[in-house]
Amino acid sequence: DYYLPVGMFSLGGFHKQIADYIVTGINAGTVGVGPNNGYDGEFEGYDILTSGNAGNAVAQGVEFSYLQELTFLPRPFNGLGINANFTYLRTHGNYGSATPRGRNELAGFIPQTGNLNLTYKYRAFSSRILINYTGRYISSFTAPNSPRNEYREVRTVVNVGLGWQLRRGANLFCEIMNVFNEPQRRFRGWESRMSYQSIGGTQFNFGVTGRF
């Protein structure tokens, strides 16, 4: 950590070892024929999916953050503030495979994430712009090279907030969430095989907050 005038800069690293990594959706065969197939004679030919421990994995990476109020700037720019952070990580391991798997195949671990929060305050007026970046990552791992492996696409979301202090303890605010209507997308195996897309739209919130 390094402390700045009205701010701070930090850089850190981490290394995690994971044993008995759990994999879902493992194919355990198909449902047999006859009344004694374990399902009262139903579901003949269906795939049986189960969960199991799939070996070991390692997650390691670095984290960066920067926070500062730019009070050294001349008026009216001295009301600016910046808060930024970024995380980069890599994963590797065998995930239950006979041979080591490639990097970043550990479900739920995001290789790159970042946030940028810009704020500004001048007299009764205040505002902020928040940008969130999430890199592509595997969200559901079933087996090495499986076409059922599911990935989340890169996503960048921008939110904007505006405020006006009506009087002490009372504020008028307006928030615009997901300004550019960024969708959520997932695909299985290859990018051309989209499995899910959600377009949530842009959301507006406004009102008055008070403290009494």
Side-chain angles (χ1 to χ4, degrees):
D1 295 336
Y2 180 78
Y3 292 90
L4 306 165
V6 201
M8 184 182 74
F9 169 84
S10 68
L11 181 67
F14 58 89
H15 180 90
K16 301 178 181 180
Q17 292 182 317
I18 304 171
D20 295 329
Y21 172 61
I22 297 176
V23 170
T24 61
I26 298 175
N27 193 324
T30 59
V31 178
V33 182
N36 297 320
N37 66 356
Y39 298 91
D40 296 327
E42 299 183 9
F43 309 111
E44 175 187 339
Y46 277 59
D47 290 333
I48 301 174
L49 302 179
T50 184
S51 300
N53 298 109
N56 303 310
V58 173
Q60 56 192 1
V62 294
E63 298 174 318
F64 154 84
S65 66
Y66 170 63
L67 169 66
Q68 188 168 24
E69 299 293 332
L70 307 183
T71 55
F72 55 86
L73 295 177
R75 289 180 177 273
F77 306 107
N78 60 344
L80 287 168
I82 182 171
N83 185 357
N85 61 72
F86 186 81
T87 300
Y88 173 81
L89 64 84
R90 293 179 63 177
T91 63
H92 60 87
N94 57 30
Y95 311 107
S97 174
T99 57
R101 300 300 307 145
R103 65 179 185 176
N104 296 331
E105 291 188 342
L106 185 60
F109 283 74
I110 307 173
Q112 297 97 29
T113 58
N115 295 282
L116 177 62
N117 187 17
L118 302 175
T119 61
Y120 178 71
K121 183 172 178 57
Y122 181 73
R123 297 181 179 176
F125 174 76
S126 63
S127 64
R128 71 180 182 93
I129 300 175
L130 176 61
I131 303 173
N132 171 259
Y133 170 81
T134 304
R136 192 182 82 172
Y137 68 98
I138 183 169
S139 57
S140 178
F141 179 89
T142 58
N145 299 320
S146 171
R148 289 182 52 81
N149 290 343
E150 188 173 62
Y151 299 82
R152 286 182 181 263
E153 284 279 16
V154 173
R155 191 167 189 247
T156 302
V157 178
V158 178
N159 300 326
V160 174
L162 302 172
W164 186 270
Q165 186 173 0
L166 300 173
R167 58 183 179 83
R168 186 174 181 178
N171 294 277
L172 181 67
F173 73 90
C174 176
E175 295 180 340
I176 307 173
M177 315 297 289
N178 196 5
V179 174
F180 299 107
N181 192 19
E182 183 73 5
Q184 296 185 30
R185 296 190 181 98
R186 298 199 296 261
F187 66 91
R188 290 191 181 273
W190 303 275
E191 291 186 10
S192 59
R193 297 179 60 203
M194 186 177 67
S195 63
Y196 173 88
Q197 176 170 278
S198 174
I199 302 176
T202 301
Q203 180 179 342
F204 293 84
N205 298 322
F206 58 91
V208 178
T209 61
R211 240 182 359 213
F212 305 95

